[in-house]
Amino acid sequence: MIYDVNTERIERQLTYLQTCIDVIARIDEQPQEKWMQDPIRVFALSRAYHIAVECIIDVGSLLIDGFIMRDPGGYLDIVDILADEEVIPAEQADTIKTLVRFRDRLARHYDTLVPADLAEHLDKREIMASFINWVRSYLTRELGESYR
């Protein structure tokens, strides 16, 4: 079967996801007491998380559309489909869903976020980096080395 997968867009999204991860890492290099008191760093961290989750959702949607997977019922379902289709390891789906749930606070309730809410998710950047590798591995498996 021939698929119409927008690999260029996926790669752009993965590159932007890496930028978000880099921003999170730079802020996490600072002592927590320091960045939690800096509104610019707090803002940058909240936007980096928000855009990172958007990248994950967008890449998931592009994969689902391009490989003609089942239609998702929402953002959390996108993660379930990626796990079902073995794009991501099933045992990591819950951690990614935690980020997707956090998106609602980042996108809609940003005015109630406190720095501690952001600090709670600092450990998730490793799974975001893994997401990039899982997607690229999946594309290589499905499309061959020539997809890039």
Side-chain angles (χ1 to χ4, degrees):
M1 179 174 241
I2 297 177
Y3 298 107
D4 184 23
V5 183
N6 190 342
T7 57
E8 288 179 24
R9 174 102 169 112
I10 289 171
E11 279 300 324
R12 285 195 313 268
Q13 293 297 111
L14 294 177
T15 299
Y16 211 88
L17 175 55
Q18 184 60 58
T19 300
C20 293
I21 294 166
D22 294 344
V23 168
I24 294 167
R26 293 268 315 266
I27 292 169
D28 193 28
E29 289 172 357
Q30 304 293 315
Q32 238 179 43
E33 316 78 56
K34 183 177 179 181
W35 71 255
M36 285 182 154
Q37 301 302 316
D38 183 346
I40 293 172
R41 284 189 173 98
V42 170
F43 181 83
L45 186 58
S46 67
R47 292 309 93 207
Y49 277 128
H50 179 196
I51 300 303
V53 175
E54 295 295 338
C55 289
I56 290 169
I57 291 166
D58 289 347
V59 167
S61 293
L62 289 164
L63 290 169
I64 289 167
D65 291 346
F67 286 106
I68 314 167
M69 300 173 186
R70 72 178 169 85
D71 286 336
Y75 293 154
L76 295 174
D77 200 29
I78 289 171
V79 178
D80 287 334
I81 293 167
L82 295 179
D84 291 347
E85 296 290 333
E86 299 180 358
V87 176
I88 63 171
E91 61 273 7
Q92 300 300 329
D94 284 341
T95 304
I96 294 174
K97 283 182 178 181
T98 299
L99 283 169
V100 172
R101 284 185 200 95
F102 189 45
R103 177 202 170 275
D104 185 60
R105 295 206 51 219
L106 294 164
R108 292 190 188 155
H109 305 284
Y110 46 84
D111 57 331
T112 64
L113 279 175
V114 295
D117 297 332
L118 301 167
E120 206 176 292
H121 295 280
L122 286 170
D123 63 334
K124 308 290 187 313
R125 78 171 186 262
E126 288 180 26
I127 199 147
M128 289 187 255
S130 294
F131 180 83
I132 294 169
N133 295 327
W134 296 329
V135 168
R136 287 182 174 148
S137 293
Y138 181 81
L139 288 170
T140 300
R141 262 191 334 266
E142 295 299 317
L143 301 176
E145 291 291 335
S146 63
Y147 90 87
R148 291 190 202 207

